[in-house]
Amino acid sequence: MSLDPFVRSLDAMLEEARALLSSATSAEDLEALRVRFTGAKSGALKTIQKGLAEVSPEDRPAAGKRFNEVRESLQALMDEASQRIGGGGRSKATRSRIDPTLPGQRPRIGVVHPITQTIEHLKEIMGRLGFTVAEGPEIEDEWHNFVALNIPEDHPARDPLDNFYLATAKSASPSRDAMETNLGSNDGTIGGPRLLRSQTSTVQIRVMENEPLPMRIISLGRVYRPDAPDATHFPMFHQMEGLWVDEHVTMAQLKSVLKLFATSYLGGDVKVRFRPSFFPFTEPSVEVDYWWNDQWIEFGGAGMVDPNVFRAVNIDSERWSGFAFGLGVERLCMRRFGITDIRDLYRSDVRFLRQFAT
Ligand code: FA5
């Protein structure tokens, strides 16, 4: 082949590219033209380059020179088009896809977890009944979790398999006497081995040890038990503890406070029943159930503070009496929001949790 047809095909390609690039309006157009003219496999430039081998040897240096010029011009045209469109090849292609005239995407705002909502609601109701909020630690010692609550050493509730003892809790429990005599020093070693508290009743003891009488408190927080998860049980759950100590507190007051609480929180039509029961720290004791989905669901335990508990915290049970209760916060939350499986509360599935936006 002589020089002329080779140069003509180069010039024709450059003109075509110039026309098309000047009318390109998007990064997609530009990318398609880049492939068409300079694509490594079958771009027009590549095809013409193959023809270089057929140019006669004496014309080949001039043909190669022209080829390089056209290639540079083509690149310049593409850079120019890219600048104009506002992209710069592939990496900027995405930028040009943003259409600033479209409405923006509303950012997703989290919702308050239903358990937190429940806790706030419970505090508000109990606040109206005159109960103030007390707090206690989640890592407890045996004194507060068991001994002062009149739970003897051989009681099944103290079985290591039914509790989360801490790895540091290797030493044997000190005797009750040793705990009692040393409690005043409160140096963090005398209450016996440490465990994650299994009930918020621990806070009753802490408050009675430290606060003046009379008292009317609630405490809301997490408790831990190695219970197998099912629709109504979870190994970590929340309880609301209540304690009222005064002169002449009665079981009738306990029942009316719990009834009033249940109707305020669950609605006037809720059916509540009290069943005789046993807790080492209350006498007499009851379990409290509500009716839901054709069955009774237990939502708490309660009773009159046992004189042995008063003795452990140096309160004169001849003068003072009191009642205590401990309610399952998840069970209350489930009933109110119509949640049938406690595990849904802890799956962290935002599609589920978003339903409870306030
Ligand atoms: C107690 O924990 C007592 N401390 C309650 C108490 C306090 C009685 C003061 C007397 C005076 P119980 O183990 O029954 O009792 O638990 C109380 C409530 O916690 C149960 O009624 C239930 O609503 C809830 N609960 C218990 N175990 C679980 C669990 N694994 N998952 C979710 N909720 C639970």
Side-chain angles (χ1 to χ4, degrees), residues 198-201 204 225 227-228 232-239 241-242 279 281-282 285-288 298-303 324-331 342:
S198 61
Q199 49 184 342
T200 44
S201 299
Q204 287 183 40
R225 296 179 191 178
D227 288 350
T232 51
H233 293 86
F234 208 67
M236 184 285 298
F237 58 101
H238 295 71
Q239 287 186 333
E241 193 77 11
F279 294 99
F281 32 93
T282 46
S285 305
V286 287
E287 255 159 339
V288 203
E298 176 200 317
F299 72 99
F325 57 83
L327 313 180
V329 173
E330 278 73 5
R331 305 256 175 107
I342 192 172

Side-chain angles (χ1 to χ4, degrees), residues 10-87:
L10 272 174
D11 290 346
M13 182 211 60
L14 189 59
E15 278 322 299
E16 189 190 5
R18 192 190 307 279
L20 291 172
L21 282 165
S22 69
S23 57
T25 54
S26 69
E28 285 84 359
D29 291 352
L30 196 58
E31 177 62 8
L33 293 175
R34 187 193 65 76
V35 172
R36 175 165 167 184
F37 289 104
T38 58
K41 273 197 187 141
S42 52
L45 204 57
K46 192 81 194 167
T47 314
I48 295 175
Q49 191 183 17
K50 282 180 193 152
L52 197 56
E54 288 159 32
V55 177
S56 57
E58 62 275 19
D59 288 334
R60 212 171 286 156
K65 185 166 174 280
R66 183 66 192 141
F67 177 84
N68 287 338
E69 286 166 1
V70 168
R71 185 169 57 187
E72 276 162 30
S73 304
L74 190 57
Q75 190 55 51
L77 285 173
M78 284 206 280
D79 289 349
E80 204 181 289
S82 162
Q83 289 277 317
R84 177 173 48 76
I85 289 168

